[in-house]
Amino acid sequence: MCDISVKSNITAKILQVHGHFQRIWGQNGPLYESTKQLIASQSSSAASIWNSTQQAIDLKLEYLQETIDTLDGHLQVVSGRLEMFLGIQYSEEWRACSKKYELQVAHFNRELLDKYSVCRNSLDHIKDHFQEEIVLEANFLSKASQEITELSSTCRIWQLKQTVFNHAGVLLCTVAGIGRINQRMISSLELCDAILLEMSLEDLDTPSCLFYHHLKMEFDEVFAQIELCAMN
């Protein structure tokens, strides 16, 4: 008895859905509804592609910005330590110990700031180059979904509701429009992927940055020696 009741409910729902589609197709016709659904599906797919691409772009930019921020943070530490070397408010022991490294301190004071600037400029150049290259292609991908949606009005798919209009022309306009946008998306996506791959392979440890990091390590060693001297 229960089984018969369940089957009856399912049958009733199927008939209800079938009747619903009959009413839709009776009003607008299956050609219009399927074309509208095609446009919506392609637009949704384009939006999904853009979202994935945007996430990848943002991730690369975030990584690059973190590298720049880390470099800036190191500079603040270096600047603070250089002030300690040259400051007069510190103890006699500290000044006496730092005096032993006076020539090295003078060298670091000049070279560290200079090499930091060169390193920072190289990272800024990489960032600017990446943004300039990707912005054009990414800009199209960001608009592709809307362009596909606009085909509904551009191709006048409302004409598919009525038999008096040229349905073949409407369908050709729609299919050709989707094909054109998809082809442009493929080209843009390939270029974006190539740029992102290049960015992944880009060595952020440029020669100037490597030189700066090496110099900073030497500076840290000297600073540690002065600290040890002042404590004894």
Side-chain angles (χ1 to χ4, degrees), residues 45-164:
S45 177
S48 178
I49 290 172
W50 164 238
N51 287 337
S52 298
T53 304
Q54 186 179 35
Q55 288 177 9
I57 293 171
D58 290 344
L59 191 63
K60 296 300 180 186
L61 285 173
E62 182 181 347
Y63 170 65
L64 180 53
Q65 189 59 52
E66 285 178 357
T67 303
I68 293 174
D69 291 343
T70 299
L71 182 68
D72 291 344
H74 288 166
L75 178 65
Q76 291 181 356
V77 174
V78 168
S79 297
R81 289 179 173 179
L82 284 172
E83 288 178 6
M84 290 182 67
F85 280 131
L86 305 173
I88 60 173
Q89 71 272 32
Y90 299 101
S91 66
E92 289 291 337
E93 292 81 6
W94 177 269
R95 289 199 296 272
C97 290
S98 61
K99 189 72 174 178
K100 299 177 183 179
Y101 298 90
E102 189 172 13
L103 291 178
Q104 289 173 280
V105 169
H107 169 72
F108 285 128
N109 188 39
R110 181 179 63 256
E111 285 295 309
L112 273 171
L113 297 180
D114 179 60
K115 293 301 181 289
Y116 159 81
S117 297
V118 177
C119 174
R120 176 61 191 269
N121 287 339
S122 68
L123 293 178
D124 286 341
H125 175 73
I126 291 173
K127 182 180 179 180
D128 292 343
H129 180 64
F130 173 72
Q131 289 177 316
E132 287 173 5
E133 278 196 324
I134 205 145
V135 66
L136 181 62
E137 305 307 327
N139 185 53
F140 176 80
L141 289 175
S142 69
K143 297 177 179 178
S145 176
Q146 182 60 33
E147 286 194 18
I148 293 176
T149 298
E150 289 173 356
L151 289 175
S152 293
S153 57
T154 303
C155 296
R156 301 178 181 179
I157 70 167
W158 60 268
Q159 293 184 356
L160 297 175
K161 298 178 183 180
Q162 303 176 26
T163 58
V164 296

Side-chain angles (χ1 to χ4, degrees), residues 1-7:
M1 183 69 178
C2 181
D3 185 52
I4 295 174
S5 176
V6 171
K7 288 182 178 178

Side-chain angles (χ1 to χ4, degrees), residues 119 203-217:
C119 174
D203 189 1
L204 297 184
D205 284 330
T206 62
S208 58
C209 289
L210 285 174
F211 192 91
Y212 169 78
H213 293 316
H214 179 71
L215 195 65
K216 181 181 175 298
M217 288 175 61

